Amino acid sequence: MGDMTNSDFYSKNQRNESSHGGEFGCTMEELRSLMELRGTEAVVKIKETYGDTEAICRRLRTSPVEGLPGTAPDLEKRKQIFGQNFIPPKKPKTFLQLVWEALQDVTLIILEIAAIISLGLSFYHPPGESNEGCATAQGGAEDEGEAEAGWIEGAAILLSVICVVLVTAFNDWSKEKQFRGLQSRIEQEQKFTVVRAGQVVQIPVAEIVVGDIAQVKYGDLLPADGLFIQGNDLKIDESSLTGESDQVRKSVDKDPMLLSGTHVMEGSGRMLVTAVGVNSQTGIIFTLLGAGGEEEEKKDKKAKQQDGAAAMEMQPLKSAEGGDADDKKKANMHKKEKSVLQGKLTKLAVQIGKAGLVMSAITVIILVLYFTVDTFVVNKKPWLPECTPVYVQYFVKFFIIGVTVLVVAVPEGLPLAVTISLAYSVKKMMKDNNLVRHLDACETMGNATAICSDKTGTLTTNRMTVVQAYVGDVHYKEIPDPSSINDKTMELLVNAIAINSAYTTKILPPEKEGALPRQVGNKTECGLLGFVLDLKQDYEPVRSQVPEEKLYKVYTFNSVRKSMSTVIKLPDESFRMYSKGASEIVLKKCCKILNGAGEPRVFRPRDRDEMVKKVIEPMACDGLRTICVAYRDFPSSPEPDWDNENDILNDLTCICVVGIEDPVRPEVPEAIRKCQRAGITVRMVTGDNINTARAIAIKCGIIHPGEDFLCLEGKEFNRRIRNEKGEIEQERIDKIWPKLRVLARSSPTDKHTLVKGIIDSTHTEQRQVVAVTGDGTNDGPALKKADVGFAMGIAGTDVAKEASDIILTDDNFSSIVKAVMWGRNVYDSISKFLQFQLTVNVVAVIVAFTGACITQDSPLKAVQMLWVNLIMDTFASLALATEPPTETLLLRKPYGRNKPLISRTMMKNILGHAVYQLTLIFTLLFVGEKMFQIDSGRNAPLHSPPSEHYTIIFNTFVMMQLFNEINARKIHGERNVFDGIFRNPIFCTIVLGTFAIQIVIVQFGGKPFSCSPLQLDQWMWCIFIGLGELVWGQVIATIPTSRLKFLKEAGRLTQKEEIPEEELNEDVEEIDHAERELRRGQILWFRGLNRIQTQIEVVNTFKSGASFQGALRRQSSVTSQSQDVANLSSPSRVSLSNALSSPTSLPPAAAGQG
């Protein structure tokens, strides 16, 4: 099914639809065109064509109350006629496409050209070859058989290029496959509530069919198009389709159209599903994108050196955000800031690449000059026309040597190591309940210095139970005996709780014997319903007496009101409103309270103050959340003005105040202690009152009595950070955040302000890296702004999951600590790989360079170099990138943003080992033939047979790399390099495997590998010299790094480069920017680390954007990906979008939106 392209899928549905159209009262076409209308147009159309929504329900053979019967044949038929709720994903890249992309690598292209020229020349026998006059100064006759074998070198280079390409392509392919697996897992997890056969059930989004009655509530992402048939106070954020940020209020008679991919921001209700999958509004846009995809592909080729996984663009959780069509393109260019590691690596890779280029150029020039001077000047040979091919052949050989130096110098294994390390970590993190949605989030987490966590559900178990109550003038420290409460009060209390809560919230019997009852829906409401059950009452009869349809008006809970109220009509036509909410807020609106006899008595402000002191504060200090339940009666006439909230929510009568306990998760205090030991500050940001928050923070260990810390309420926090004009000032935030540990009664904007304030702060010498957890829709902006956003997998709303980088599948704080461990492990793995890779680079480049200059021939041949390259790039990245993390990673402070990738210790190791290897190789090169009593391999003529001498050098070189790979497992100067080596089977396999292949190459490689078989004693010497690496490693570890002040560190990010230009002038519109980011974030996009070549290309392209010149000089290479194309000034924007060949073939329909 998935392979079918959108258009096939579409036409198939069309055909089905025309043949079956008559079975239901309306066809798919009609419903589709109906859903394209908005507001009043739609209402008129429904009236004219169908009568009302009830009539549409009848035509679709469904009941607004009972829903579909849910029988298999009926559902199957609906799927056939109206389509499935499934948008076929874009086709994955085929293996051949990935091979083609891997071939775009510049160094590989140079090598291919060199190999082909070499091949061509080896088959060309010029007539003058017998002419002795052409032979150059280098003596040694070649026998005829060897000349025949001249083609082997070229063929071998081609073969090794093919190997590299296949390995790269296979890696990309498996990565893409993993990514799709992850994708489908996210999709299967997304469920939606529908009514079938009178039962409320949760089904996977893909199972929704036309005619279903779906229940929508605050925080949902609508999975299909539909008509609003009943509900209250429903407000929708349609910005993902229309680009308008205002929330749209939906009502049956004014605007009943609900569209897929839009977010429910407030209220609840039911909708009749009228279009699913490719026929929904989102689906239509996706189909357009799919159709536009083919032309895009062509333009996209260049830009697509990104990453195989990009193809997926990970459809936003199932009901993909269609309207972001063109945002999607922008998002490709911009994900917050480039991750720390990416920034450092890009910079390092470009530096190494440049150095390699210079070295290889010098090598070629020296070789060519030496040859020409030696032949034509010193030996005074004339240039004979018939000799030209022979000379050309020499020049080609020199060119190949130069390219080889370049190939070895460029660490193309870096992107591979990073990708493997991240992909491996992500896979393993699934087991630790971290579902990673942006790959680089995993590595950023290792640098985290601050975590702003929610309280409810993350630090606590989110199982609410009422443990104290204040009813009828008595404060009960545990659940009161039902007989002690007045009957009138009891009836009011039960009604107030049962009616004034979402009817989807229930308490179900436990699944296993002896377990706790299951809480479904809003946990606070579950706690209150549990209180009703504890009082030996039942809420079900009340709810069946007043079904949801009969509720007259509902003021749903939102972060501004902090309370929820429901109005019902009493039998005598008068109205009664039940209200519940945060106690200090609701009590302010109460002017009466029920006494012991169930009669209302006056409740004055000073009574309220006394109650706060005597009841609410003691409850809060025990870590309880206090909720006040109240009511108010209204006369039947004149009917109150329900829209005037301030007058309605006033003059209430308090029924009771309850204290709800939400116990701290048992594993949280330990997890927080680990964080603090690892140098990460944990802050709690909660909507609860300050005493409750402080009590929980002490239980968790976020604050310790006697420390110097701040606990603020949202109001106080805002007062302190704003100046007289009410604007936020960074230096004011800087005074507060270092000591702030608890922010209570905070609004979502406060959370966003705090996160932004900490990130933008220059108060510490390192920029803070902030992780945030969130579960509500309103946490979106903060999750987006943070360096890493964690959403709750169980309690989190779809909107929060969309905005996050990592989803905690068990909603547990201790999983965050696991993420930190994995993040640090990724960073360390990359460093281990770098330490190993750079040692090889330094040695190989110097050997090839000096060897070429002194002996006119590189001791390490092109094919051998490619093999070494394969060992040190592909295999080493696999071996070193898959080290499992250990607890010791949490014993050090975070590295921070400007700590260089290659520390002094690593630099010491790299140079130390390079010295050892170079000494031995040069010894072997110049006196090796005397030590082993063999022929010298130096100054051999063209096409001469491989010498034992050079084979020993090659073999020793590889052995040293193998043993140095074991040294590279430790980068902080530890002595025991074998520690935990058997915990990593991949490492052991690769080291032994490489050793085995090396034996085969040396003994049977022959001419293609320029190897001659070695005797056992020669092998023993090679291995012995290799083992010396381990001993030498211990010697290096003894030298104190602090003495080696002269060692430079490499790969650091300076402050200047870290903040891209447009981020500097972005403060003005920050909030809108965050909200815009939230829209943009609908696309899960992670960027593979591009090949160095791509980066250099991109930099050059940027240089061509004229107005860019200035910005560029300041931040040469790092700019490459961090510019948000959308925010550039218009003249350069044009040149940029063309330069980056950004896919501009969006159909106008989609481009107009977003």
Side-chain angles (χ1 to χ4, degrees):
M1 178 79 241
D3 301 342
M4 207 184 289
T5 62
N6 285 338
S7 40
D8 302 344
F9 188 79
Y10 199 71
S11 50
K12 184 168 168 237
N13 276 339
Q14 298 287 341
R15 284 200 298 282
N16 284 344
E17 181 260 320
S18 50
S19 54
H20 293 282
E23 301 190 16
F24 292 97
C26 33
T27 64
M28 187 177 76
E29 274 299 295
E30 289 171 10
L31 290 174
R32 233 178 84 179
S33 55
L34 173 65
M35 290 318 293
E36 279 165 9
L37 301 172
R38 302 277 178 274
T40 37
E41 288 179 25
V43 179
V44 174
K45 171 87 174 163
I46 293 173
K47 275 221 174 71
E48 285 174 2
T49 320
Y50 306 102
D52 58 0
T53 42
E54 294 271 324
I56 299 182
C57 288
R58 282 198 297 282
R59 288 195 183 197
L60 288 174
R61 303 198 192 150
T62 180
S63 139
V65 184
E66 297 285 311
L68 291 177
T71 58
D74 176 53
L75 296 178
E76 204 39 58
K77 191 169 13 164
R78 285 174 194 272
K79 278 185 189 165
Q80 270 186 351
I81 296 177
F82 297 110
Q84 289 173 299
N85 195 21
F86 164 79
I87 295 173
K90 251 165 103 176
K91 269 199 191 136
K93 290 203 174 139
T94 58
F95 189 69
L96 284 175
Q97 278 171 305
L98 292 170
V99 166
W100 176 245
E101 275 177 21
L103 277 170
Q104 309 293 313
D105 192 290
V106 178
T107 33
L108 289 182
I109 294 175
I110 298 177
L111 269 181
E112 287 153 25
I113 295 171
I116 290 166
I117 296 177
S118 155
L119 266 179
L121 287 173
S122 67
F123 290 126
Y124 174 64
H125 293 295
E129 198 160 78
S130 53
N131 183 339
E132 280 303 302
C134 305
T136 57
Q138 291 135 355
E142 357 176 338
D143 67 45
E144 280 305 299
E146 287 303 337
E148 296 306 304
W151 60 275
I152 293 183
E153 184 157 14
I157 295 180
L158 279 184
L159 194 74
S160 41
V161 167
I162 292 170
C163 276
V164 174
V165 167
L166 287 179
V167 170
T168 316
F170 180 73
N171 262 304
D172 286 346
W173 180 79
S174 57
K175 193 165 62 198
E176 172 133 338
K177 209 168 111 202
Q178 262 184 352
F179 200 61
R180 287 185 177 253
L182 186 76
Q183 168 64 12
S184 59
R185 180 171 158 175
I186 293 183
E187 287 178 358
Q188 284 152 11
E189 283 184 352
Q190 209 202 354
K191 295 210 166 28
F192 209 78
T193 316
V194 298
V195 182
R196 285 198 177 161
Q199 293 294 312
V200 177
V201 288
Q202 283 213 324
I203 59 169
V205 167
E207 297 295 313
I208 293 177
V209 294
V210 171
D212 257 325
I213 303 296
Q215 292 197 340
V216 297
K217 60 180 190 309
Y218 162 78
D220 282 344
L221 183 72
L222 298 182
D225 291 354
L227 297 172
F228 183 47
I229 46 181
Q230 167 267 319
N232 34 55
D233 227 16
L234 193 67
K235 285 191 186 154
I236 305 266
D237 170 9
E238 291 189 348
S239 58
S240 60
L241 282 179
T242 60
E244 299 297 323
S245 56
D246 299 341
Q247 293 172 15
V248 185
R249 177 173 284 231
K250 298 288 177 186
S251 60
V252 182
D253 46 357
K254 291 203 178 63
D255 184 3
M257 312 310 264
L258 301 178
L259 305 170
S260 60
T262 58
H263 294 133
V264 183
M265 300 309 273
E266 220 177 280
S268 59
R270 290 182 172 198
M271 79 168 185
L272 162 70
V273 177
T274 54
V276 293
V278 284
N279 302 305
S280 64
Q281 294 301 302
T282 301
I284 291 170
I285 291 176
F286 255 78
T287 317
L288 289 175
L289 275 181
E294 276 71 67
E295 302 95 74
E296 255 169 55
E297 288 289 286
K298 300 185 189 84
K299 296 195 186 166
D300 228 15
K301 272 290 176 283
K302 269 230 219 58
K304 267 292 157 57
Q305 267 195 336
Q306 292 314 56
D307 201 331
M312 189 58 192
E313 281 185 350
M314 221 165 168
Q315 283 185 15
L317 309 174
K318 194 69 192 157
S319 60
E321 293 303 74
D324 286 3
D326 53 332
D327 274 3
K328 199 163 277 179
K329 299 295 173 282
K330 289 181 214 157
N332 291 2
M333 309 295 178
H334 176 88
K335 155 91 177 70
K336 285 180 212 156
E337 236 171 87
K338 201 146 83 177
S339 89
V340 190
L341 187 63
Q342 274 177 324
K344 292 178 181 176
L345 281 178
T346 308
K347 198 155 183 243
L348 191 68
V350 171
Q351 285 167 349
I352 296 175
K354 284 180 184 160
L357 205 61
V358 171
M359 289 292 276
S360 63
I362 295 176
T363 313
V364 174
I365 292 169
I366 289 181
L367 284 171
V368 172
L369 281 176
Y370 189 97
F371 175 78
T372 43
V373 169
D374 191 57
T375 312
F376 302 122
V377 179
V378 180
N379 295 335
K380 302 200 168 48
K381 294 245 172 92
W383 180 298
L384 301 170
E386 65 269 25
C387 291
T388 309
V390 184
Y391 297 146
V392 171
Q393 224 162 344
Y394 270 105
F395 289 144
V396 170
K397 179 177 151 188
F398 300 150
F399 179 61
I400 289 181
I401 293 173
V403 172
T404 319
V405 174
L406 177 65
V407 172
V408 178
V410 172
E412 62 269 46
L414 260 185
L416 195 66
V418 177
T419 316
I420 291 177
S421 183
L422 287 174
Y424 172 78
S425 307
V426 167
K427 209 168 177 174
K428 293 284 188 214
M429 282 169 82
M430 293 289 272
K431 293 198 178 89
D432 288 338
N433 305 307
N434 284 300
L435 184 78
V436 181
R437 300 179 56 209
H438 294 128
L439 260 194
D440 52 6
C442 146
E443 162 260 318
T444 313
M445 220 26 232
N447 284 315
T449 53
I451 298 176
C452 296
S453 170
D454 274 357
K455 174 177 79 68
T456 313
T458 315
L459 300 173
T460 58
T461 55
N462 205 5
R463 237 205 107 77
M464 310 281 188
T465 36
V466 173
V467 289
Q468 296 188 19
Y470 178 88
V471 190
D473 292 343
V474 187
H475 184 176
Y476 298 95
K477 290 288 189 184
E478 56 240 12
I479 301 291
D481 188 278
S483 57
S484 64
I485 295 179
N486 179 290
D487 290 348
K488 263 204 259 175
T489 311
M490 182 68 94
E491 190 195 351
L492 269 169
L493 179 61
V494 173
N495 281 348
I497 290 176
I499 293 171
N500 185 29
S501 56
Y503 278 30
T504 47
T505 305
K506 309 186 190 51
I507 295 204
L508 304 176
E511 282 177 343
K512 293 192 211 59
E513 278 297 305
L516 294 165
R518 279 184 300 155
Q519 298 186 339
V520 180
N522 181 310
K523 300 297 191 234
T524 312
E525 291 179 350
C526 286
L528 291 168
L529 292 174
F531 179 51
V532 170
L533 298 177
D534 289 342
L535 293 172
K536 310 283 181 283
Q537 306 294 314
D538 193 3
Y539 60 88
E540 282 296 349
V542 183
R543 283 186 172 179
S544 44
Q545 226 175 338
V546 187
E548 211 168 349
E549 297 80 60
K550 287 200 182 160
L551 301 180
Y552 194 80
K553 169 90 182 148
V554 179
Y555 299 95
T556 47
F557 180 90
N558 64 25
S559 51
V560 181
R561 289 192 190 116
K562 289 219 188 289
S563 67
M564 170 182 178
S565 315
T566 306
V567 183
I568 56 169
K569 215 171 190 171
L570 298 175
D572 63 358
E573 294 293 308
S574 67
F575 300 98
R576 172 169 290 171
M577 177 178 76
Y578 294 114
S579 213
K580 68 165 191 289
S583 54
E584 54 262 54
I585 289 169
V586 177
L587 278 177
K588 277 191 186 129
K589 299 179 176 166
C590 291
C591 60
K592 298 194 184 71
I593 187 166
L594 296 182
N595 61 15
E599 300 298 330
R601 66 174 171 79
V602 180
F603 184 62
R604 290 183 297 277
R606 68 160 184 271
D607 300 335
R608 183 170 68 234
D609 296 343
E610 188 182 355
M611 183 154 167
V612 166
K613 270 200 195 66
K614 296 264 175 63
V615 180
I616 292 173
E617 282 186 0
M619 281 187 185
C621 290
D622 293 341
L624 306 183
R625 301 176 65 172
T626 53
I627 301 278
C628 174
V629 182
Y631 78 102
R632 177 181 178 184
D633 286 328
F634 295 97
S636 54
S637 65
E639 185 171 329
D641 170 14
W642 298 116
D643 289 337
N644 186 349
E645 262 181 66
N646 291 345
D647 292 356
I648 301 285
L649 296 180
N650 231 327
D651 298 340
L652 306 177
T653 307
C654 170
I655 305 172
C656 74
V657 173
V658 293
I660 299 184
E661 182 184 45
D662 182 8
V664 171
R665 287 175 179 260
E667 63 278 8
V668 161
E670 171 60 18
I672 285 181
R673 204 167 60 250
K674 278 185 190 161
C675 279
Q676 288 163 342
R677 200 173 56 217
I680 301 170
T681 314
V682 182
R683 295 181 173 80
M684 181 162 100
V685 183
T686 173
D688 264 349
N689 92 25
I690 190 150
N691 295 331
T692 312
R694 192 185 284 118
I696 299 270
I698 289 173
K699 282 185 192 167
C700 293
I702 291 177
I703 52 184
H704 304 287
E707 277 185 0
D708 180 19
F709 57 78
L710 282 175
C711 293
L712 295 180
E713 283 204 345
K715 277 204 184 97
E716 172 66 8
F717 173 69
N718 271 310
R719 196 182 60 71
R720 289 197 188 187
I721 61 169
R722 290 174 192 274
N723 59 18
E724 298 70 53
K725 296 182 192 154
E727 295 158 350
I728 297 172
E729 285 190 355
Q730 185 63 45
E731 51 270 29
R732 289 177 184 238
I733 299 184
D734 286 349
K735 287 197 186 102
I736 293 177
W737 72 258
K739 288 184 182 175
L740 183 70
R741 290 294 176 274
V742 176
L743 185 58
R745 280 275 174 261
S746 67
S747 70
T749 5
D750 295 342
K751 193 171 187 174
H752 179 267
T753 310
L754 176 66
V755 172
K756 178 179 183 311
I758 297 180
I759 288 180
D760 294 349
S761 169
T762 47
H763 181 77
T764 47
E765 74 277 17
Q766 302 263 339
R767 152 157 141 47
Q768 295 278 313
V769 178
V770 185
V772 171
T773 67
D775 53 5
T777 305
N778 43 24
D779 291 331
L783 287 171
K784 255 319 313 130
K785 179 69 196 167
D787 293 284
V788 183
F790 286 90
M792 301 299 139
I794 304 168
T797 57
D798 295 344
V799 185
K801 290 179 188 169
E802 280 302 321
S804 69
D805 300 297
I806 298 181
I807 297 174
L808 295 179
T809 48
D810 62 347
D811 288 14
N812 191 337
F813 186 83
S814 57
S815 304
I816 297 180
V817 182
K818 294 260 177 58
V820 173
M821 212 156 82
W822 275 107
R824 293 185 171 191
N825 191 49
V826 168
Y827 200 95
D828 279 8
S829 298
I830 304 299
S831 296
K832 288 172 191 173
F833 173 70
L834 269 175
Q835 177 176 310
F836 173 68
Q837 162 117 42
L838 292 180
T839 313
V840 188
N841 274 10
V842 170
V843 175
V845 169
I846 293 178
V847 166
F849 176 69
T850 44
C853 298
I854 297 171
T855 67
Q856 280 73 63
D857 184 8
S858 167
L860 296 172
K861 300 287 183 285
V863 182
Q864 296 174 348
M865 287 282 213
L866 283 169
W867 162 237
V868 171
N869 216 17
L870 196 71
I871 303 179
M872 65 188 198
D873 280 354
T874 314
F875 295 156
S877 63
L878 259 173
L880 292 167
T882 50
E883 290 271 314
T886 55
E887 286 281 328
T888 49
L889 287 169
L890 293 176
L891 298 178
R892 62 171 174 77
K893 297 276 179 277
Y895 281 146
R897 287 178 103 73
N898 9 11
K899 169 125 178 9
L901 256 184
I902 300 173
S903 62
R904 278 231 173 89
T905 315
M906 286 167 62
M907 206 47 130
K908 175 183 77 175
N909 290 347
I910 292 172
L911 295 178
H913 286 293
V915 166
Y916 174 83
Q917 296 184 9
L918 286 171
T919 315
L920 281 162
I921 285 180
F922 284 135
T923 311
L924 286 174
L925 180 60
F926 295 113
V927 293
E929 72 271 27
K930 299 194 186 73
M931 290 161 58
F932 289 105
Q933 274 102 42
I934 47 177
D935 294 337
S936 165
R938 295 196 299 279
N939 300 338
L942 213 59
H943 305 315
S944 56
S947 64
E948 280 185 2
H949 182 190
Y950 274 17
T951 309
I952 292 179
I953 294 179
F954 165 59
N955 199 17
T956 312
F957 183 64
V958 173
M959 287 303 124
M960 291 198 285
Q961 300 327 322
L962 270 187
F963 288 102
N964 195 26
E965 196 165 337
I966 300 174
N967 276 332
R969 292 184 66 246
K970 297 284 177 254
I971 49 173
H972 297 299
E974 299 92 330
R975 284 197 171 274
N976 181 4
V977 288
F978 291 100
D979 178 36
I981 193 164
F982 294 114
R983 291 222 323 270
N984 186 358
I986 303 183
F987 184 86
C988 304
T989 323
I990 283 181
V991 171
L992 293 172
T994 314
F995 186 63
I997 301 176
Q998 179 65 16
I999 295 179
V1000 174
I1001 288 180
V1002 171
Q1003 297 305 94
F1004 310 106
K1007 182 77 187 176
F1009 278 98
S1010 318
C1011 284
S1012 142
L1014 298 180
Q1015 264 80 48
L1016 188 63
D1017 60 329
Q1018 293 167 337
W1019 264 103
M1020 283 305 151
W1021 273 106
C1022 293
I1023 294 174
F1024 175 71
I1025 294 174
L1027 275 168
E1029 271 287 343
L1030 293 175
V1031 184
W1032 184 247
Q1034 297 301 317
V1035 176
I1036 294 178
T1038 329
I1039 306 170
T1041 316
S1042 48
R1043 291 282 167 82
L1044 307 170
K1045 286 279 183 289
F1046 60 90
L1047 284 183
K1048 278 273 186 288
E1049 302 146 327
R1052 64 161 60 222
L1053 270 186
T1054 49
Q1055 284 294 319
K1056 204 33 173 275
E1057 288 153 335
E1058 200 194 317
I1059 308 173
E1061 294 294 277
E1062 79 273 4
E1063 299 225 341
L1064 294 174
N1065 30 19
E1066 171 192 274
D1067 294 358
V1068 202
E1069 31 142 63
E1070 183 48 54
I1071 283 267
D1072 315 340
H1073 186 65
E1075 282 172 358
R1076 205 162 63 236
E1077 279 284 43
L1078 179 57
R1079 313 276 138 62
R1080 228 179 252 168
Q1082 317 299 17
I1083 309 101
L1084 296 179
W1085 160 263
F1086 73 74
R1087 195 186 297 107
L1089 275 157
N1090 298 358
R1091 289 284 160 112
I1092 304 143
Q1093 290 78 12
T1094 326
Q1095 281 146 357
I1096 295 173
E1097 264 171 48
V1098 175
V1099 172
N1100 293 342
T1101 339
F1102 273 155
K1103 281 183 182 162
S1104 62
S1107 61
F1108 234 31
Q1109 216 57 40
L1112 237 231
R1113 286 194 196 100
R1114 279 193 297 287
Q1115 25 174 141
S1116 61
S1117 60
V1118 177
T1119 338
S1120 58
Q1121 294 161 334
S1122 55
Q1123 291 294 353
D1124 175 354
V1125 178
N1127 290 356
L1128 293 173
S1129 55
S1130 42
S1132 63
R1133 176 176 179 169
V1134 184
S1135 63
L1136 246 188
S1137 56
N1138 304 337
L1140 283 176
S1141 64
S1142 69
T1144 41
S1145 62
L1146 266 183
Q1153 299 169 339

